[in-house]
Amino acid sequence: MYWRRLILLTCLLCGLGAAEPIRVAVDEWTTVNPLLMSRDTDGEAVDLLFDRLVTLDADGNFIPELLQSWTILKGGREVVLELRPGMTWHDGTPIEAEDLVFTWRTLRLPQVRAIADTVGGVASLDSLMAEGPLRVRIRLSRPRGTLLSDLYNFIPVPRRHYQMGAKPMAAPVNFQPVGSGPYRVVERATTKHLKLERWEGYRGAHPGSWPAFEFSDPTAEKSTAKAILEGRFHFAATSALSHYLVRKGALGAGHLQVYSVPQAAFGAFFLNCDPKRSLLGELALREALAELTPWQEFARARQFFPARLASSFWPPENWAHDPEPRPLPQAERAESILESAGWHLGSGGVRRDAKGRTLSLVAYEQVNSATRSMARLLAERAAKVGIRIEVRKLTFQALTEKSAEHEGDIWSYGWTTSLDPDVDAPLFTRDGYRTKANVSGYLNPEVDRLFDEGRHTLDPEARRKIYLKLSEIIWRDKPVIPLNYNLARILATRRLQGVSFNVLGQAYGFWPGKRGWTLVD
């Protein structure tokens, strides 16, 4: 009897040690290597696998993570970073100042910048030097107003494992990471599935609460709500209709909870401003398209599904948001603009100019877009004023490749703005054009100058005025047409506890974030 009871007790303890993982639905990602992140989804697991130098609290304030402290000297031209003592990588080796120097140098490599150019100002810091095992000194030729955002975007990696070859995306470490965070990958990750377990060797400032996570691409699921009810997921983004039905109590039988979270992100049309590649190199045509954006559909949908019309590149969650009201688009103005620019209706109801060019454009959108997507609604409205738009569907990866190569005229996808507006500079600057981050091919010396000025201005109010001016120029020149500010619509099982969102919305990691999630029976 004693032995039987001992065996039973042992089995119970084993069961407690193998807790059910928290299952998170995330659209396909590209890597779990923080040096090469290029999609929002890449950070979903990275923030559990790696500690940043600094992170955010729930109020959006920067707080130390890998760092114990930072000290600003010489009017902002030098910064001394002190790492926490006793910290190690997942392989047991110590986290050292030389790892930070290695990470900085790697982020400056051309083959890395071509993939992850919007990592922030980390790569452009003037110099980093290790001063002992735990101290790093940053030297700057000019003070940086972006400093804390740069440190947030600085996710160090161990120099022993992350040497970068000619083809960075092919490196095995991209899916077999050696990190510093409270979780580590079990087996080998893929772009559609990975398992994480809590790392008992973690000695950092922000540990995890739950023993295991599992991330999966939900593309094959027909119903997010059903997948959660049947236990395949505990947390997932969902459609507006499913969110609405659960919120009204018509779906979920009380087992699901919903969240509607503003994001520092928007859906947009990126327009090809290169006159050698697209007719949209002509400003008048971009102005006409802006008057054809399907805002009425957003307005009607707001009766049932909350939405926010966009009027500035930086959304309300970003401190650089421009609150000035903009006039609503009007198709009549589009016709007037086209006529004034010399584009007149010809045979077949399509406009032509004096050179005989036909006003025909190609728009690319993601393959899983709805039948009446924004690109198709734009095409319908454009046809009424004599613009022919052919809409082609691509995978998200192919879509971003087309835009990076400036192939096509219009690219329809979303964009998540950064904590600091300077990180978005490559979308609009000459430097971003060289690294292919400036997908619109938009070049304006005044924009280059203002981004440089904003980067090195320390006074917050003076910086804000600079980005308000940039907002005005971007709105005027229209390399991008923001459509609607995103709301993340989330379904989660009621078993999932600790779900919360910081003041910036769901777009950025914060502590505790997922590190504070738990499951209850």
Side-chain angles (χ1 to χ4, degrees):
M1 182 69 71
Y2 171 79
W3 287 106
R4 290 168 69 182
R5 274 190 294 191
L6 182 60
I7 291 170
L8 176 60
L9 178 61
T10 302
C11 291
L12 287 172
L13 290 174
C14 289
L16 289 173
E20 176 186 10
I22 294 175
R23 300 186 182 94
V24 184
V26 182
D27 289 344
E28 184 178 12
W29 50 93
T30 63
T31 184
V32 286
N33 179 347
L35 299 175
L36 301 175
M37 293 192 297
S38 59
R39 295 190 194 176
D40 301 339
T41 50
D42 294 344
E44 292 282 349
V46 165
D47 272 326
L48 295 176
L49 293 165
F50 290 83
D51 276 0
R52 298 171 182 266
L53 291 183
V54 301
T55 189
L56 296 168
D57 65 15
D59 295 321
N61 301 309
F62 292 104
I63 56 176
E65 194 157 70
L66 274 179
L67 292 184
Q68 181 171 266
S69 66
W70 62 87
T71 304
I72 300 174
L73 305 169
K74 296 185 179 180
R77 289 183 290 108
E78 286 193 7
V79 185
V80 175
L81 310 179
E82 296 281 354
L83 286 164
R84 293 181 184 276
M87 298 280 287
T88 66
W89 301 107
H90 289 164
D91 66 358
T93 59
I95 298 175
E96 297 176 326
E98 289 291 353
D99 293 310
L100 274 64
V101 176
F102 166 81
T103 301
W104 168 72
R105 287 175 177 163
T106 303
L107 287 169
R108 294 163 65 89
L109 294 174
Q111 66 266 40
V112 174
R113 292 195 68 192
I115 297 169
D117 191 58
T118 53
V119 71
V122 181
S124 60
L125 297 174
D126 295 299
S127 74
L128 266 73
M129 181 179 297
E131 297 183 340
L134 299 178
R135 175 179 289 187
V136 170
R137 187 176 298 270
I138 301 173
R139 287 190 170 90
L140 304 168
S141 58
R142 298 162 64 189
R144 293 180 70 93
T146 64
L147 177 64
L148 290 178
S149 172
D150 294 340
L151 296 183
Y152 173 86
N153 285 301
F154 199 153
I155 307 178
V157 297
R159 62 191 186 279
R160 298 167 185 84
H161 299 281
Y162 282 79
Q163 298 293 332
M164 200 64 62
K167 297 181 179 180
M169 294 304 291
V173 76
N174 291 335
F175 293 102
Q176 295 174 304
V178 179
S180 56
Y183 293 87
R184 59 184 178 183
V185 169
V186 180
E187 301 168 353
R188 188 179 187 277
T190 70
T191 59
K192 293 181 178 291
H193 184 256
L194 75 154
K195 291 182 179 181
L196 310 180
E197 64 179 8
R198 191 166 55 199
W199 175 44
E200 297 304 326
Y202 182 72
R203 299 293 181 268
H206 302 131
S209 301
W210 195 250
F213 280 83
E214 186 173 356
F215 292 81
S216 300
D217 185 337
T219 303
E221 296 289 346
K222 294 182 179 180
S223 168
T224 303
K226 183 179 179 182
I228 295 176
L229 289 170
E230 294 178 354
R232 292 191 294 282
F233 295 113
H234 299 112
F235 179 95
T238 190
S239 67
L241 179 59
S242 293
H243 188 276
Y244 176 79
L245 293 174
V246 172
R247 184 161 53 90
K248 292 297 183 180
L251 182 66
H255 298 295
L256 301 179
Q257 53 190 336
V258 296
Y259 303 93
S260 182
V261 186
Q263 289 186 287
F266 53 79
F269 295 136
F270 288 81
L271 307 182
N272 194 338
C273 300
D274 187 341
K276 296 179 180 178
R277 292 177 173 267
S278 172
L279 294 174
L280 297 183
E282 185 178 336
L283 175 59
L285 296 185
R286 302 199 298 274
E287 292 174 334
L289 284 181
E291 297 293 346
L292 298 170
T293 54
W295 68 270
Q296 292 96 332
E297 282 71 13
F298 288 127
R300 282 193 286 269
R302 289 175 69 183
Q303 300 176 49
F304 306 99
F305 313 120
R308 304 175 298 167
L309 296 177
S311 60
S312 166
F313 176 79
W314 288 289
E317 286 68 41
N318 193 298
W319 58 262
H321 172 67
D322 181 0
E324 181 178 343
R326 309 286 185 184
L328 290 172
Q330 292 185 13
E332 295 78 9
R333 281 203 295 263
E335 292 182 286
S336 176
I337 291 169
L338 293 169
E339 287 293 330
S340 297
W343 289 92
H344 306 299
L345 281 174
S347 60
V350 180
R351 292 181 182 269
R352 289 177 171 80
D353 67 357
K355 299 177 183 178
R357 295 179 299 175
T358 301
L359 190 41
S360 296
L361 307 171
V362 174
Y364 290 105
E365 66 177 4
Q366 198 169 348
V367 71
N368 60 358
S369 299
T371 303
R372 286 179 61 78
S373 64
M374 288 300 103
R376 293 188 180 279
L377 288 169
L378 176 67
E380 291 174 10
R381 293 170 65 84
K384 295 177 181 178
V385 299
I387 304 174
R388 179 190 296 144
I389 300 178
E390 178 189 351
V391 179
R392 301 176 185 175
K393 290 179 175 286
L394 297 172
T395 64
F396 183 77
Q397 182 174 351
L399 172 60
T400 54
E401 288 172 354
K402 287 285 188 185
S403 61
E405 296 299 329
H406 311 296
E407 291 186 31
D409 304 293
I410 304 166
W411 307 283
S412 176
Y413 52 78
W415 186 261
T416 299
T417 57
S418 303
L419 290 175
D420 192 289
D422 179 66
V423 184
D424 300 309
L427 279 177
F428 305 105
T429 60
R430 182 171 294 278
D431 188 54
Y433 184 83
R434 286 193 293 266
T435 61
K436 298 186 178 181
N438 182 343
V439 297
S440 294
Y442 169 69
L443 299 174
N444 183 330
E446 177 68 0
V447 167
D448 289 348
R449 186 192 68 78
L450 286 169
F451 269 116
D452 184 69
E453 182 181 349
R455 185 173 302 130
H456 298 290
T457 298
L458 298 183
D459 179 70
E461 187 54 35
R463 285 198 79 208
R464 186 170 185 274
K465 289 179 180 178
I466 292 168
Y467 293 105
L468 289 178
K469 178 63 176 177
L470 280 164
S471 286
E472 181 183 328
I473 295 173
I474 292 167
W475 183 266
R476 181 195 70 199
D477 291 351
K478 295 177 172 51
V480 59
I481 302 174
L483 300 174
N484 62 315
Y485 298 129
N486 290 355
L487 286 171
R489 296 182 176 88
I490 303 296
L491 290 186
T493 173
R494 289 199 175 275
R495 295 179 56 210
L496 186 60
Q497 303 294 303
V499 176
S500 59
F501 306 94
N502 70 2
V503 295
L504 299 170
Q506 196 202 3
Y508 293 99
F510 67 100
W511 189 82
K514 293 185 184 69
R515 298 186 187 197
W517 287 6
T518 57
L519 289 175
V520 297
D521 292 330

